[in-house]
Amino acid sequence: MGVKRRAFLIGSALVAGGGVFGIKWADSSARERATALTTGAKDGSFGTWIKVGEDSRITIYTPHIDIGTGTSTALAQMVADELDADWDKVSVESAPAETAFANSTLGRGFLSDMSGKPGMVAALPESLLSLIARAMPLQITGGSSAVRFTGQMGMRVVAAAARLALVEEAAEKLGVPTGELTTAGHAVRHAKSGKSLSYGELAAGAATRTLAETPALKAAKDYRFIGKPVPRIDIPAKVDGTARYGIDVNLPDMRVATVMAAPVRGGKLESVDEKPALAVKGVEKVVKLDDAVAVVATGYWPAIKGLRSLSPRFSDGGNGSISTASIFAAHDALRKGGDPGSSAGEGDVEAGLAADGTKLIEARYQVPFLHHAPMEPFALVAQFKDGKLDVWGGLQDPLSSKMAAVKASGLDEDAVTFHPLVLGGGFGRKLPMYIEAIPQVVALAMDLPHPVKLIWSREEEVAQGAYRAQASSVMKAALGKDGKIVAWQNNYAQPSDDGGGAAAKLFYTIPAFAQDHYKHVSNQTVGSWRSVNATQHGFYNESFIDELAYAAGADPYQFRRAHLAEGGRHQKVLDAVAKAAGWGTPLADGHGRGIAIVECFGTICAHVIEASVKADGSPKVHAVWAAVDCGPVVNPGNAEAQVMGGIVMGLSAAIGEAITLDKGAVQQTSFGDYPILKMADSPPTVRIEFLNSDAEMGGLGEPGLPPAAPALANALFAVTGMRIRSLPLLNQAGAKA
Amino acid sequence: MTIAASVNGKAVTFEGEGDTPLLWAIREELGLTGTKFGCGIAACGACTVHIDGEAVRSCSMPIEMVAGKAIRTIEGLKKPDGTLHAVQQAWIAAQVPQCGYCQSGQIMAAVALIERTGQPSDAQVDEAMTNICRCGTYPRIREAIRTATGQAAIAVQGDA
């Protein structure tokens, strides 16, 4: 029998006047390190995450980067409620990129998501989760995880435990029972005697107390901040130009570099004549990297001029024959082979598809590579001096970014510091596992006697993405005589099987269904694009079920409804959006409605889109209605913004976005040929309804996006009778089937 | 070469090569980093500033073209007492920014539009506001422009 290790919420007294309350430290060295990094001699703090200053102010050290989704504000709302705090005395800072701040709660959440067994993960000891988080190392912002995991499962618990410890400390000092004490205005108050002690006076002592492991959390009726549209704390600095992004870092004597990597992924730099670049005024150096060439100059303009003057020769790594068409052909060949690499599902699909008296329907869908197109291209600053490497940038996971710099430099972890900054858009692109700019800027900094800022041009950004995969599926289903689906098969081809087709999995009640994965990997880097696999599978599933509805002679809303559990969450969301949109009521001539419902990241979202076809054949979106069940909503104003942003990004991709390949290289170059939806084409009416259910809290950064493409395609089918099975749909809408 | 102009009411001289885009002169020479780089081909508008009151994409405006011009950047919108411009206030009221990177350019484009038209119609907003926002804040940008110009908000609100 091994010794069962237990973990506790632990506080830590500081040198003077305060205490730190951390979550469930796996070991004391992590606690000491975190405390040392976040507190001055006169502060006190509670845990890795919550510091109570001598002045009673509360500082939250978030392990996440607010990538523009408002997570910092939401986390502050949660902590403020549990600590009965005043909003103007709570602030949020980024936790240092140190393993001491790795996020075990996030590890728990991700493991729950990945394993699909939250109960099993809940039973794992915290020490193990913390080790997993530090080994991974988890400081990631992605997977719509910050609020539902870190906030709901972590910070609220620490904050509630910290409040109890402050009360206990006050009870001891005042010699009164805890039951007679209340907390308000950053103080513990004793009404009978009129005495009170401020949080700042109590923090140091409170932090040495054993914290409650499962403190009672505030009831919804007692929320003062959660559930309210509290203005986002990051917004003022984003309207006056003072927010500091990675690209805004300036160091004394700094140089600026820009880079071009092999246009065909997998290729290497063979040769380059440096002279034309060196002839450009301001250019100081041409640096040859393994698969790229960089130009270092006194500013970005001479750097990019210098780079453009070069004619580097790159190999193609044997990938020179890969094209968009060759990838789709490979998908089809794999499917024809009929031997999926992995299968998941329920029931006997083959028997269902072959059953007597059923109508077999089959359709092939395909989607292109998609580029994230964050508005801030990669912009990282690095300085190598006296054996120490410092890196600055706005990336989605500071800790892993640091580890990537450690790996690239060959230095010890202690010699490398990553400084997180505001992020100019992430959407999954700024996750460190595929940020080539990190090893690039590290190589440059270690080669130069100056600090250096590496800025990728937009052209490099588009050509060297970590794209949403180009993917396809052949969908098959059998319809019974009663108009119900008997069997359903999704034969999808893409690089990863997404944990057995997690995003492809149906929530409809169908006796037999299967997700069969045909693995195909091209030379392109594929990453997490907002909503990840739910984007393509949402399009396949919700377009195909629309086809089945029409084949059954049924209304698309009623047909879906009939296949959803009666009174269940999905049906409620579908009903809500149909009601809001006035489904079934008359429309203007030439207008049509489409409906779609997708579940991802713990949230169910349905759209109804009203659209028509413009004279030039392109789609016009008149209105979007969305209904969302993400459980409780922490910040309704920001929740709406997240879903709205997802709708716009989903429409943008559906209408016009595609990365295509020819001779192994990306054909698009910038916003001219990779068109992002603009104001004039964004929907003039967007109405979003949150069901505010008592379901487990779901994510919000991503789930608003996936229904947009199928809802729009379904609306256009209602207008034109042409089924759109390939994205983007630009210039297809006007054609008749 | 040396080029004299004014930025946010102050006389400045740019020392770079004449073909240097105004964007980089503003950011790297003057250290005013509120104006952002997005594409370098005047397609996205993240670099929008005002030149003699007109919205211009500074990534594609060489400094040799701005001699003697009055340039205004996002840093120049506040009043001398620090009060935010009405459009900036409307941006906060509507909670427009998400990642925020494009918003300096969006705000500069909106201020120029409002200064030109007073109360822009939806069609004028569509025509003038061609800056890209990847976070998809367009409905709230439209709302902020309407509230900044005393027009009623339109139906972009959620029901939460």
Side-chain angles (χ1 to χ4, degrees):
Chain A
M1 288 285 288
V3 178
K4 190 180 176 192
R5 291 187 61 183
R6 300 205 60 195
F8 302 91
L9 290 173
I10 293 174
S12 172
L14 296 168
V15 181
V20 188
F21 287 81
I23 176 126
K24 305 181 177 179
W25 300 99
D27 59 66
S28 59
S29 65
R31 174 180 22 150
E32 283 164 16
R33 179 86 181 124
T35 302
L37 284 164
T38 55
T39 57
K42 300 219 169 186
D43 291 326
S45 43
F46 286 70
T48 16
W49 286 350
I50 298 170
K51 178 175 84 175
V52 177
E54 197 182 29
D55 57 1
S56 294
R57 291 187 63 88
I58 294 165
T59 306
I60 300 159
Y61 291 91
T62 169
H64 298 284
I65 292 296
D66 191 332
I67 61 176
T69 53
T71 55
S72 293
T73 305
L75 293 173
Q77 288 174 260
M78 295 169 125
V79 168
D81 258 337
E82 295 299 343
L83 270 162
D84 290 328
D86 297 337
W87 188 244
D88 59 357
K89 288 187 194 153
V90 175
S91 56
V92 182
E93 291 188 18
S94 288
E98 296 269 347
T99 50
F101 291 90
N103 190 343
S104 64
T105 313
L106 194 55
R108 183 191 293 279
F110 272 125
L111 287 174
S112 301
D113 260 18
M114 284 189 287
S115 68
K117 295 187 178 73
M120 183 199 83
V121 177
L124 291 175
E126 197 64 43
S127 55
L128 179 61
L129 285 166
S130 183
L131 285 173
I132 292 168
R134 293 171 67 196
M136 285 176 78
L138 274 175
Q139 218 181 53
I140 192 172
T141 302
S144 295
S145 59
V147 176
R148 61 185 173 132
F149 297 158
T150 308
Q152 186 72 357
M153 294 156 65
M155 287 204 182
R156 284 190 72 185
V157 177
V158 180
R163 194 191 75 88
L164 289 179
L166 289 162
V167 169
E168 286 167 12
E169 183 71 9
E172 191 175 308
K173 285 197 167 159
L174 296 173
V176 300
T178 55
E180 293 181 4
L181 295 169
T182 57
T183 46
H186 293 238
V188 182
R189 301 176 189 283
H190 187 241
K192 277 188 187 170
S193 65
K195 288 181 182 167
S196 75
L197 289 167
S198 75
Y199 281 1
E201 292 172 276
L202 296 164
T208 64
R209 306 186 82 88
T210 302
L211 302 191
E213 285 189 68
T214 52
L217 303 183
K218 280 267 188 318
K221 67 178 172 53
D222 297 323
Y223 292 162
R224 292 156 60 233
F225 303 106
I226 298 173
K228 308 284 194 299
V230 175
R232 272 173 53 169
I233 53 185
D234 57 322
I235 281 182
K238 290 176 175 175
V239 305
D240 69 1
T242 56
R244 203 155 163 260
Y245 297 80
I247 202 170
D248 300 330
V249 172
N250 275 309
L251 300 178
D253 210 25
M254 186 178 78
R255 300 297 190 266
V256 178
T258 193
V259 69
M260 179 189 185
V264 180
R265 276 270 169 83
K268 304 287 183 197
L269 178 66
E270 288 184 331
S271 65
V272 61
D273 174 9
E274 304 175 15
K275 284 195 282 298
L278 294 172
V280 174
K281 193 177 171 189
V283 170
E284 296 185 348
K285 193 166 184 179
V286 175
V287 180
K288 295 175 196 171
L289 303 169
D290 181 46
D291 62 351
V293 58
V295 173
V296 181
T298 51
Y300 181 76
W301 182 242
I304 191 73
K305 263 169 76 179
L307 188 70
R308 286 182 181 145
S309 75
L310 297 175
S311 307
R313 284 174 51 88
F314 294 99
S315 65
D316 68 10
N319 296 321
S321 64
I322 296 173
S323 68
T324 300
S326 79
I327 293 172
F328 281 136
H331 289 180
D332 291 336
L334 282 167
R335 272 188 291 260
K336 206 174 170 193
D339 184 18
S342 73
S343 295
E346 283 177 30
D348 189 341
V349 169
E350 296 299 341
L353 292 174
D356 284 345
T358 60
K359 184 151 99 181
L360 186 67
I361 294 160
E362 181 175 329
R364 183 185 173 286
Y365 288 84
Q366 66 178 44
V367 297
F369 288 112
L370 291 176
H371 175 45
H372 301 78
M375 295 308 295
E376 181 188 30
F378 281 124
L380 298 170
V381 174
Q383 179 171 37
F384 183 60
K385 196 177 172 186
D386 304 329
K388 303 271 187 191
L389 177 69
D390 285 84
V391 182
W392 291 258
L395 301 175
Q396 280 177 252
D397 183 343
L399 187 48
S400 294
S401 300
K402 171 186 159 149
M403 299 317 286
V406 167
K407 188 177 169 207
S409 65
L411 297 169
D412 287 343
E413 199 180 320
D414 289 347
V416 179
T417 306
F418 181 80
H419 306 265
L421 288 134
V422 179
L423 196 70
F427 317 110
R429 180 63 185 105
K430 290 173 182 171
L431 293 168
M433 49 276 211
Y434 30 70
I435 300 179
E436 299 85 346
I438 295 175
Q440 287 170 355
V441 77
V442 167
L444 293 171
M446 296 184 80
D447 184 59
L448 297 170
H450 311 285
V452 61
K453 182 193 291 186
L454 172 65
I455 302 174
W456 275 25
S457 66
R458 177 57 59 184
E459 290 77 9
E460 189 71 359
E461 189 76 32
V462 172
Q464 303 289 337
Y467 310 106
R468 196 285 304 276
Q470 179 182 333
S472 64
S473 183
V474 170
M475 308 289 287
K476 294 181 184 176
L479 268 179
K481 285 200 182 73
D482 60 353
K484 288 286 191 72
I485 305 168
V486 175
W488 169 295
Q489 191 178 44
N490 177 342
N491 300 283
Y492 66 104
Q494 63 183 41
S496 106
D497 83 338
D498 175 33
K505 195 169 188 288
L506 285 180
F507 42 75
Y508 292 111
T509 307
I510 296 174
F513 63 87
Q515 306 97 247
D516 289 351
H517 175 235
Y518 295 86
K519 183 183 179 74
H520 179 262
V521 177
S522 76
N523 69 325
Q524 293 303 305
T525 302
V526 168
S528 298
W529 193 91
R530 191 175 187 176
S531 308
V532 202
N533 290 294
T535 55
Q536 67 269 28
H537 286 295
F539 176 63
Y540 306 153
N541 285 348
E542 286 300 298
S543 298
F544 190 54
I545 198 166
D546 221 65
E547 297 204 46
L548 299 180
Y550 281 93
D555 173 84
Y557 157 51
Q558 292 297 342
F559 185 76
R560 284 175 176 78
R561 197 177 188 285
H563 286 86
L564 290 171
E566 195 64 35
R569 288 178 71 199
H570 297 89
Q571 201 182 60
K572 284 179 181 165
V573 170
L574 197 70
D575 287 347
V577 79
K579 184 169 179 241
W583 186 269
T585 58
L587 283 166
D589 279 352
H591 287 214
R593 287 191 191 100
I595 191 166
I597 175 168
V598 178
E599 177 178 0
C600 63
F601 300 94
T603 291
I604 303 164
C605 182
H607 293 174
V608 168
I609 290 182
E610 181 182 337
S612 64
V613 180
K614 292 194 272 195
D616 66 359
S618 65
K620 170 73 187 168
V621 177
H622 299 279
V624 181
W625 291 265
V628 184
D629 181 1
C630 58
V633 174
V634 177
N635 188 324
N638 189 53
E640 179 205 270
Q642 289 311 302
V643 175
M644 188 183 285
I647 289 168
V648 172
M649 190 164 172
L651 290 174
S652 179
I655 291 170
E657 295 178 30
I659 291 288
T660 56
L661 302 179
D662 185 40
K663 299 186 176 67
V666 169
Q667 292 180 288
Q668 287 67 33
T669 59
S670 187
F671 291 128
D673 47 15
Y674 193 86
I676 308 289
L677 199 76
K678 294 184 180 176
M679 173 76 83
D681 291 319
S682 72
T685 300
V686 179
R687 286 198 161 275
I688 300 161
E689 179 180 339
F690 291 91
L691 271 65
N692 264 312
S693 77
D694 55 8
E696 194 80 6
M697 190 178 282
L700 271 176
E702 316 194 59
L705 189 151
L712 176 57
N714 294 340
L716 294 170
F717 178 81
V719 176
T720 66
M722 191 192 86
R723 182 59 65 183
I724 291 160
R725 300 192 183 96
S726 174
L727 295 179
L729 51 78
L730 200 63
N731 301 326
Q732 296 180 52
K736 297 288 177 194
Chain B
M1 66 193 290
T2 299
I3 290 147
S6 82
V7 172
N8 300 329
K10 285 184 199 155
V12 300
T13 54
F14 296 121
E15 305 289 345
E17 293 291 289
D19 65 348
T20 303
L22 178 60
L23 168 67
W24 298 107
I26 290 169
R27 287 181 57 85
E28 294 180 348
E29 271 195 75
L30 303 183
L32 295 175
T33 56
T35 306
K36 301 301 191 210
F37 167 61
C39 67
I41 59 167
C44 77
C47 63
T48 304
V49 300
H50 296 175
I51 298 179
D52 290 344
E54 274 187 48
V56 171
R57 296 189 173 177
S58 63
C59 73
S60 300
M61 174 60 65
I63 53 172
E64 62 199 2
M65 303 286 286
V66 303
K69 307 271 190 193
I71 296 153
R72 181 157 63 155
T73 72
I74 187 75
E75 290 89 351
L77 276 192
K78 277 183 191 171
K79 288 183 188 156
D81 68 358
T83 311
L84 291 178
H85 189 282
V87 171
Q88 290 173 305
Q89 292 180 29
W91 242 248
I92 292 176
Q95 292 283 290
V96 174
Q98 291 188 28
C99 92
Y101 192 81
C102 76
Q103 298 296 343
S104 294
Q106 302 278 6
I107 289 168
M108 296 309 286
V111 169
L113 169 68
I114 291 165
E115 287 178 350
R116 181 162 56 80
T117 61
Q119 288 195 331
S121 65
D122 276 345
Q124 286 173 315
V125 169
D126 284 346
E127 194 191 343
M129 297 299 292
T130 56
N131 296 23
I132 293 174
C133 173
R134 187 50 153 167
C135 298
T137 64
Y138 303 121
R140 286 191 174 181
I141 289 175
R142 190 185 295 279
E143 180 192 343
I145 290 172
R146 293 182 69 93
T147 54
T149 53
Q151 303 179 76
I154 47 171
V156 295
Q157 307 294 334
D159 296 326

Coordinates of all heavy atoms in Angstrom, one line a residue, chain A residues 212 358 429 437 500 512 527 553 556-557 646 687 692 719 735:
Chain A
A212 N -10.0 25.8 4.7 CA -11.0 24.8 4.4 C -10.8 24.3 3.0 O -10.5 25.0 2.1 CB -12.4 25.5 4.6
T358 N -35.5 1.3 -45.8 CA -35.0 2.6 -45.5 C -34.5 3.3 -46.7 O -34.1 2.7 -47.7 CB -33.9 2.5 -44.5 OG1 -32.8 1.7 -45.0 CG2 -34.3 1.9 -43.2
R429 N -3.8 30.5 -32.6 CA -2.5 30.6 -33.3 C -1.3 30.8 -32.4 O -0.2 30.5 -32.7 CB -2.6 31.8 -34.3 CG -1.3 32.0 -35.2 CD -1.0 30.8 -36.0 NE 0.3 30.8 -36.7 CZ 1.3 30.1 -36.4 NH1 1.3 29.4 -35.3 NH2 2.4 30.2 -37.2
A437 N 8.3 31.4 -34.4 CA 8.9 32.7 -34.1 C 9.7 32.6 -32.8 O 10.6 33.4 -32.6 CB 7.9 33.8 -34.0
G500 N -11.2 10.1 -30.9 CA -12.3 9.3 -31.3 C -13.5 10.1 -31.9 O -14.7 9.6 -31.8
A512 N -28.2 3.9 -34.3 CA -26.8 3.5 -34.6 C -26.1 4.7 -35.3 O -26.6 5.3 -36.2 CB -26.8 2.3 -35.5
G527 N -3.1 23.4 -36.5 CA -3.2 23.8 -35.1 C -4.7 23.9 -34.6 O -5.6 23.4 -35.3
G553 N -39.1 15.2 -46.0 CA -40.2 16.1 -46.2 C -40.6 16.8 -45.0 O -41.7 17.2 -44.8
P556 N -36.9 21.6 -41.1 CA -35.6 21.3 -40.5 C -35.5 21.5 -39.0 O -34.8 20.8 -38.4 CB -34.7 22.4 -41.3 CG -35.4 22.7 -42.5 CD -36.9 22.6 -42.2
Y557 N -36.3 22.5 -38.5 CA -36.3 22.7 -37.1 C -37.0 21.5 -36.4 O -36.5 20.9 -35.5 CB -36.9 24.0 -36.7 CG -37.5 24.2 -35.3 CD1 -36.8 23.8 -34.2 CD2 -38.8 24.7 -35.2 CE1 -37.4 24.0 -32.9 CE2 -39.4 24.8 -33.9 CZ -38.7 24.5 -32.8 OH -39.2 24.6 -31.5
G646 N -17.8 35.1 -32.2 CA -17.8 33.8 -32.8 C -18.7 33.8 -34.1 O -18.3 33.1 -35.1
R687 N -29.0 38.8 -32.4 CA -29.7 38.7 -31.1 C -29.2 37.4 -30.4 O -29.3 36.3 -31.0 CB -31.2 38.7 -31.3 CG -31.7 40.1 -31.6 CD -33.2 40.2 -31.3 NE -33.7 41.5 -31.2 CZ -33.6 42.2 -30.1 NH1 -33.2 41.7 -29.0 NH2 -34.1 43.5 -30.0
N692 N -29.1 30.6 -19.3 CA -28.8 30.7 -17.8 C -29.3 29.5 -17.1 O -29.9 29.6 -16.0 CB -29.4 32.0 -17.2 CG -28.4 33.1 -17.2 OD1 -27.2 32.9 -16.7 ND2 -28.7 34.2 -17.7
V719 N -33.2 29.3 -49.9 CA -33.4 30.3 -51.0 C -33.2 29.7 -52.4 O -34.0 29.9 -53.3 CB -32.5 31.5 -50.8 CG1 -32.7 32.5 -51.9 CG2 -32.7 32.1 -49.4
A735 N -25.4 29.9 -57.8 CA -25.6 28.9 -58.7 C -26.8 28.0 -58.3 O -27.0 27.8 -57.2 CB -24.3 28.0 -58.8

